[in-house]
């Protein structure tokens, strides 16, 4: 797997694009075997795709149990002790602030990068971003404008006149932890459950912070997740109802976990208008992507799945067009 314009971690993942695919990103790959007789036949064996359980056949827990599960993500309302650590104006057309505020657990502090548009009037609509898996292996967010996810997935939103908040979640960037990185995609362990609960609390505290700012329209917030963050789009909107729209790139149902954080118990409770942008040949297409769309509790008229002739990440020009149209539809045009 992996191609020149893919996410950096895709080189180690399987892909199920057609064998004769000749799209621009794949190009051509050649192999020369100087001594083919000396190569074990095992090297040429067919590599089957990994499969997971049929999640559509699994019954979500009843409402009483779900309500208990949802309480894991609750926390006491305490002072944020928020600080704007730095503020810089970029020639690219935005103001970047580094802000910090108290987490909902353990006396920790959350860092967040807030990008404010220079071409729109406050109060700003705001998109809250949850990153892909690379974020658990990067140890600093200091140069966030150059970190690949910002120019690729976020800068167009700020240029269009919306604010973007990129929180530094538990286990990512400055808050990275190798043990959490190893399980961030999902694990049937208490450690993963606790990690996920803390990350979601970080996101909810980030919304608490936005509500304190007069230059932010707290009634017009959107969740935006890519890859890892896209998978969490099957859980986050079920426990956080302040989002007016949800955008998921490369998302799908999560991997097996303990039932109290298993996405099958959350996805049917999502009501947020949801746009899913996926590759038709993503390894997760049949097992996680289409089942997630089918199971989403969002009314049919408020959810949409678009699949492109790619694997994990759709073409940039296409997802920019669809995301802006979706946000205009559910948050309204920017000022």
């Amino acid at each position: 797997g992996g191609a020149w314009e893919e996410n950096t971690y895709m080189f180690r993942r399987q892909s199920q694009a057609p064998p004769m695919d000749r799209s621009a990103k794949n190009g051509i790959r050649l192999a020369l075997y100087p001594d083919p007789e000396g190569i074990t036949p095992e090297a040429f064996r067919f590599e089957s795709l990994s499969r997971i359980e049929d999640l559509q056949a699994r019954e979500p827990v009843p409402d009483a149990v779900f309500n208990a599960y949802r309480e894991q993500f609750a926390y006491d309302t305490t002072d944020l002790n928020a600080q704007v650590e730095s503020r810089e104006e970029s020639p690219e057309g935005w103001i970047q602030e580094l802000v910090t505020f108290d987490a909902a657990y353990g006396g920790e502090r959350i860092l967040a990068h807030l990008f404010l548009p220079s071409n729109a009037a406050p109060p700003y609509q705001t998109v809250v971003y949850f990153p892909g898996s690379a974020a658990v292996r990067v140890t600093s967010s200091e140069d966030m404008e150059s970190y690949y996810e910002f120019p690729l997935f976020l800068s167009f939103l700020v240029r269009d006149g919306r604010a973007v908040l990129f929180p530094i979640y538990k286990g990512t960037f400055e808050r990275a932890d190798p043990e959490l990185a190893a399980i961030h995609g999902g694990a049937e362990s208490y450690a993963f459950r606790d990690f996920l609960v803390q990350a979601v609390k970080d996101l909810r505290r980030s919304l608490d912070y936005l509500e304190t700012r007069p230059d932010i329209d707290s009634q017009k917030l959107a969740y935006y997740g890519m890859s890892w963050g896209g998978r969490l789009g099957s859980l986050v909107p079920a426990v956080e109802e302040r989002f007016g729209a949800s955008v998921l790139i490369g998302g799908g149902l999560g991997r097996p976990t303990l039932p109290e954080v298993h996405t099958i118990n959350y996805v049917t409770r999502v009501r947020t208008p949801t746009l899913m942008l996926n590759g038709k040949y993503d390894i997760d297409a049949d097992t996680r992507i289409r089942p997630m769309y089918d199971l989403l509790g969002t009314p049919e008229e408020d959810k949409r799945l678009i699949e492109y002739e790619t694997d994990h990440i759709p073409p940039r020009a296409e997802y920019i067009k669809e995301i802006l149209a979706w946000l205009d539809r559910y948050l309204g045009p920017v000022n």
Side-chain angles (χ1 to χ4, degrees), residues 76-135:
D76 294 321
T77 302
T78 57
D79 196 329
L80 290 162
N81 295 310
Q83 296 286 334
V84 177
E85 306 292 345
S86 64
R87 179 181 169 93
E88 297 180 3
E89 188 165 350
S90 169
E92 297 294 330
W94 52 71
I95 296 169
Q96 180 182 359
E97 294 185 357
L98 175 64
V99 300
T100 60
F101 44 89
D102 288 347
Y105 53 85
E108 296 190 31
R109 294 279 284 176
I110 300 170
L111 294 80
H113 295 268
L114 179 61
F115 296 88
L116 303 171
S118 300
N119 61 346
Y124 306 112
Q125 296 181 20
T126 305
V127 176
V128 182
Y129 185 65
F130 203 108
S133 295

Side-chain angles (χ1 to χ4, degrees), residues 21-333:
D21 176 64
R22 293 295 178 266
S23 58
K25 73 175 185 179
N26 287 337
I28 184 170
R29 302 181 185 187
L30 304 176
L32 173 66
Y33 305 105
D35 181 23
E37 292 78 15
I39 301 175
T40 172
E42 281 292 298
F44 299 101
R45 74 182 187 278
F46 177 76
E47 186 73 21
S48 61
L49 298 175
S50 58
R51 296 297 180 190
I52 64 169
E53 63 174 315
D54 181 4
L55 293 174
Q56 286 180 298
R58 185 164 174 169
E59 194 71 25
V61 296
D63 288 346
V65 177
F66 170 71
N67 291 336
Y69 286 172
R70 185 170 54 186
E71 285 300 303
Q72 299 172 105
F73 303 96
Y75 50 85
D76 294 321
T77 302
T78 57
D79 196 329
L80 290 162
N81 295 310
Q83 296 286 334
V84 177
E85 306 292 345
S86 64
R87 179 181 169 93
E88 297 180 3
E89 188 165 350
S90 169
E92 297 294 330
W94 52 71
I95 296 169
Q96 180 182 359
E97 294 185 357
L98 175 64
V99 300
T100 60
F101 44 89
D102 288 347
Y105 53 85
E108 296 190 31
R109 294 279 284 176
I110 300 170
L111 294 80
H113 295 268
L114 179 61
F115 296 88
L116 303 171
S118 300
N119 61 346
Y124 306 112
Q125 296 181 20
T126 305
V127 176
V128 182
Y129 185 65
F130 203 108
S133 295
V136 302
R137 299 180 179 91
V138 179
T139 57
S140 174
S141 67
E142 183 175 359
D143 192 12
M144 181 57 79
E145 283 184 317
S146 299
Y147 173 64
Y148 89 98
E149 290 188 54
F150 180 78
L152 193 59
F153 297 109
L154 297 173
S155 59
F156 72 91
L157 290 165
V158 192
R159 289 194 175 99
D160 192 57
R162 292 181 170 91
V164 168
L165 185 70
F166 193 146
I168 306 304
Y169 300 94
K170 181 76 171 181
T172 67
F173 297 101
E174 287 87 349
R175 305 176 72 201
D177 181 330
E179 292 185 5
L180 298 181
I183 62 172
H184 79 282
E188 294 180 285
S189 67
Y190 296 115
F192 174 75
R193 179 201 62 190
D194 295 344
F195 170 36
L196 179 59
V197 168
Q198 289 176 325
V200 174
K201 285 182 178 181
D202 288 347
L203 183 142
R204 301 192 71 198
R205 286 288 275 183
S206 298
L207 300 194
D208 295 345
Y209 170 72
L210 291 176
E211 288 181 332
T212 69
R213 295 195 50 137
D215 57 347
I216 300 296
D217 187 344
S218 59
Q219 301 303 308
K220 293 186 176 182
L221 304 175
Y223 175 81
Y224 177 13
M226 189 277 294
S227 192
W228 177 31
R231 291 199 302 273
L232 290 180
S234 59
L235 180 149
V236 167
V239 300
E240 177 49 73
E241 299 178 349
R242 284 176 283 183
F243 291 117
S246 176
V247 173
L248 314 176
I249 291 183
L253 291 174
R255 292 173 172 80
T257 65
L258 296 177
E260 54 263 42
V261 289
H262 200 301
T263 51
I264 195 64
N265 294 320
Y266 291 81
V267 64
T268 60
R269 272 86 179 193
V270 172
R271 300 291 183 266
T272 307
T274 301
L275 174 66
M276 295 179 61
L277 302 169
N278 294 88
K280 188 178 296 184
Y281 307 121
D282 196 311
I283 191 68
D284 295 335
D286 297 326
T287 54
R288 296 191 178 99
I289 295 171
R290 295 184 195 105
M292 175 180 168
Y293 178 77
D294 292 339
L295 291 168
L296 270 174
T298 302
E300 286 292 331
E301 64 271 20
D302 293 325
K303 64 179 180 178
R304 187 181 183 197
L305 168 62
I306 306 177
E307 294 181 290
Y308 298 90
E309 296 287 331
T310 60
D311 40 21
H312 193 44
I313 301 298
R316 186 171 187 266
E318 291 298 319
Y319 67 67
I320 288 176
K321 175 182 68 175
E322 297 297 342
I323 290 173
L324 294 181
W326 193 258
L327 296 178
D328 282 349
R329 177 179 174 183
Y330 287 100
L331 299 188

